[in-house]
Amino acid sequence: MDFLKNVVQAPPDPILGINLAFAADSRSDKLNASVGTYRQNDLQPYIFPSVKEAERVLFSQEKNKEYLPIAGEADYLKATQQLVFGQADLSRICGMQAVGGTGALRLTAEILSHAGLNTLYLGEPTWGNHQNIFTTVGFQIRSFPYFDFHTHRINFAQLCEQISKMQAGSALLLQASCHNPTGCDFSKDEWKEILRLIQRHQLFVVFDLAYQGFGEGLEEDVWPIRLFVQEGVSCAVAVSHSKTFGVYAERVGALFMVCASPTQAEIVLSRIKVIARRAYSNPPCHGARVIKTLLQTKELKALWEKELQEVRQRIASMRQLLVSELSLHLKQDISNFSYLLEQKGMFAFVGISSYQVETLKKKYGIYLTEDGRINLGGVNAQAVQTLVRALAQIPDIQHSTS
Ligand code: LMR
């Protein structure tokens, strides 16, 4: 008997699958600006020197590789908590090491489902995996427009109206900074308005924090989370360190549940531990120990902060270049692309159509995600020029006129 005959072939992953297609492409001038990993000017994978050094220190000091506690490496969690929440009173926050940001979101979905929530509102567009993670756990997904494809910006008035109509007792996922894929973040005043709305309409916010340090700075990029904590709101914060420390393959993340009280935090953590124990037992130690070592060593932390600043600057210079190249090759006033300079983080969202994405791939060997997102952390000046020149040959760019 063939027990597995009813298994249906799954399609390749829309984001990570692109790396496989790219690897299989034999063209020597191919270009991968799809998956969100940071590379330096030479377009080779980049390991932060501070991370490598922390790894060396850890190598000489590590005494065991026995199981971690189910909640993970305590000092790693403490250091990550401080990075995210600063000096806030942490007594009502419980923390759990997670297998990357995806693992943190999965734990979030499971604990919220356990708590009785069953509806999640997702902005349109958002990171492709958000929906999958929550539907797997049984959530109903409702979407709301996040990005206005005509102005290339958030339509904030419309968004507030949508939030006002959301069903009380539901969850709402918001990206703390460097929105994936659009790069469009809320201003501080807009966050304050959102806070008022979610309090009034009794919504539970899930923060996805995957790019701390890639937007305006380590503190600035977590400002909304700290605002919510300061205002006494309960929320979840799913942290990914993949980009922040460039440790993608180590799968280092964390989930913090900001609860109503220290007692509730203890209870919630006990339940998340049960969820983790049943899924993967306890988390891997290496990446967490590297990050812990880095954050606990003053010199390494300072070095990492400097390297992160250089990353931000390189991405910003690619953004500037993209704007001037678009203006030049599409023969439009530079102000038509001013929206791109307002976008934050790794990604540029120009409004490239799926037809253009497909043609870029087939004809020019240039790989973007299907939504036309450009990974500015994965290109250099030459690549930006190549990309824009190719784009200019393919009609139907939906450029802004604002
Ligand atoms: C991306 O959006 O490119 C990254 O977050 C990688 C991933 O897991 O999708």
Side-chain angles (χ1 to χ4, degrees):
M1 185 161 176
D2 183 358
F3 288 99
L4 304 178
K5 71 174 188 302
N6 294 331
V7 177
V8 178
Q9 172 80 39
D13 183 80
I15 299 181
L16 296 183
I18 300 174
N19 275 349
L20 298 180
F22 181 77
D25 189 328
S26 58
R27 285 171 282 189
S28 59
D29 57 349
K30 62 186 177 177
L31 168 66
N32 191 355
S34 60
V35 179
T37 50
Y38 177 79
R39 296 184 166 196
Q40 279 201 308
N41 225 7
D42 59 5
L43 301 189
Q44 293 309 305
Y46 175 63
I47 304 180
F48 286 81
S50 53
V51 169
K52 203 72 201 155
E53 189 50 34
E55 228 162 9
R56 259 183 225 116
V57 173
L58 175 66
F59 181 72
S60 64
Q61 289 178 351
E62 197 174 39
K63 292 279 187 304
N64 74 78
K65 289 215 184 265
E66 292 195 0
Y67 297 122
L68 288 185
I70 298 171
E73 181 86 15
D75 285 349
Y76 157 77
L77 280 169
K78 205 167 144 204
T80 299
Q81 249 187 20
Q82 267 171 13
L83 197 64
V84 176
F85 298 98
Q87 298 309 316
D89 170 18
L90 304 176
S91 59
R92 68 185 181 99
I93 304 176
C94 62
M96 180 85 190
Q97 190 181 322
V99 184
T102 302
L105 287 165
R106 176 62 186 258
L107 291 176
T108 307
E110 300 244 14
I111 189 64
L112 292 185
S113 172
H114 178 88
L117 281 78
N118 57 20
T119 303
L120 175 76
Y121 288 90
L122 282 177
E124 179 60 43
T126 192
W127 180 52
N129 216 16
H130 282 145
Q131 173 156 349
N132 303 334
I133 294 166
F134 281 81
T135 49
T136 297
V137 173
F139 269 80
Q140 302 280 336
I141 303 295
R142 303 220 174 124
S143 57
F144 62 94
Y146 181 83
F147 181 77
D148 183 331
F149 283 85
H150 296 293
T151 62
H152 294 269
R153 292 176 174 93
I154 299 168
N155 182 338
F156 191 68
Q158 191 190 20
L159 186 134
C160 290
E161 203 187 309
Q162 295 287 328
I163 295 181
S164 308
K165 290 183 193 152
M166 289 176 186
Q167 197 183 311
S170 304
L172 164 63
L173 188 144
L174 296 171
Q175 299 185 35
S177 46
C178 309
H179 185 268
N180 180 3
T182 69
C184 293
D185 290 345
F186 300 119
S187 68
K188 286 187 176 173
D189 281 344
E190 288 172 340
W191 274 116
K192 285 182 193 160
E193 179 61 22
I194 286 172
L195 172 69
R196 273 193 290 275
L197 286 172
I198 70 113
Q199 282 176 312
R200 192 177 313 145
H201 298 282
Q202 294 169 21
L203 299 162
F204 184 92
V205 169
V206 176
F207 282 106
D208 184 353
L209 176 65
Y211 298 92
Q212 187 176 3
F214 271 66
E216 297 192 340
L218 282 167
E219 302 277 310
E220 294 85 341
D221 294 350
V222 289
W223 188 87
I225 295 171
R226 293 184 184 178
L227 172 74
F228 275 53
V229 174
Q230 192 188 309
E231 294 300 315
V233 173
S234 291
C235 56
V237 183
V239 180
S240 165
H241 282 326
S242 298
K243 282 91 178 172
T244 302
F245 293 90
V247 288
Y248 313 89
E250 300 292 357
R251 311 309 298 139
V252 202
L255 166 62
F256 295 102
M257 295 294 291
V258 182
C259 302
S261 66
T263 311
Q264 190 182 69
E266 214 174 290
I267 297 167
V268 168
L269 180 62
S270 74
R271 182 51 56 186
I272 304 175
K273 287 202 277 192
V274 172
I275 294 165
R277 176 69 168 147
R278 291 175 186 179
Y280 56 85
S281 191
N282 46 77
C285 66
H286 184 72
R289 284 182 179 160
V290 173
I291 304 303
K292 172 194 81 171
T293 307
L294 186 154
L295 291 174
Q296 286 182 339
T297 314
K298 211 168 150 229
E299 299 74 31
L300 289 181
K301 185 163 183 259
L303 179 61
W304 163 70
E305 285 179 10
K306 188 172 149 284
E307 291 160 359
L308 197 54
Q309 190 181 10
E310 284 161 11
V311 165
R312 270 199 304 278
Q313 283 163 351
R314 201 185 88 71
I315 294 176
S317 69
M318 289 303 108
R319 196 176 279 290
Q320 290 278 357
L321 182 66
L322 178 66
V323 168
S324 53
E325 287 291 306
L326 282 169
S327 162
L328 182 72
H329 292 284
L330 299 183
K331 299 184 179 46
Q332 287 180 41
D333 194 89
I334 202 148
S335 63
N336 279 3
F337 300 99
S338 61
Y339 65 87
L340 275 171
L341 299 175
E342 293 163 27
Q343 295 177 0
K344 303 266 163 35
M346 257 184 159
F347 302 120
F349 207 61
V350 187
I352 300 172
S353 69
S354 53
Y355 166 75
Q356 288 175 308
V357 171
E358 199 51 28
T359 312
L360 282 171
K361 178 173 76 184
K362 285 206 174 115
K363 199 163 165 197
Y364 300 94
I366 298 173
Y367 288 71
L368 306 181
T369 49
E370 205 193 335
D371 54 13
R373 185 190 80 177
I374 301 169
N375 173 19
L376 288 177
V379 291
N380 57 16
Q382 198 192 341
V384 171
Q385 283 157 356
T386 307
L387 167 62
V388 175
R389 274 183 207 140
L391 205 52
Q393 301 306 312
I394 314 168
D396 96 26
I397 185 162
Q398 301 154 20
H399 58 267
S400 166
T401 49
S402 57

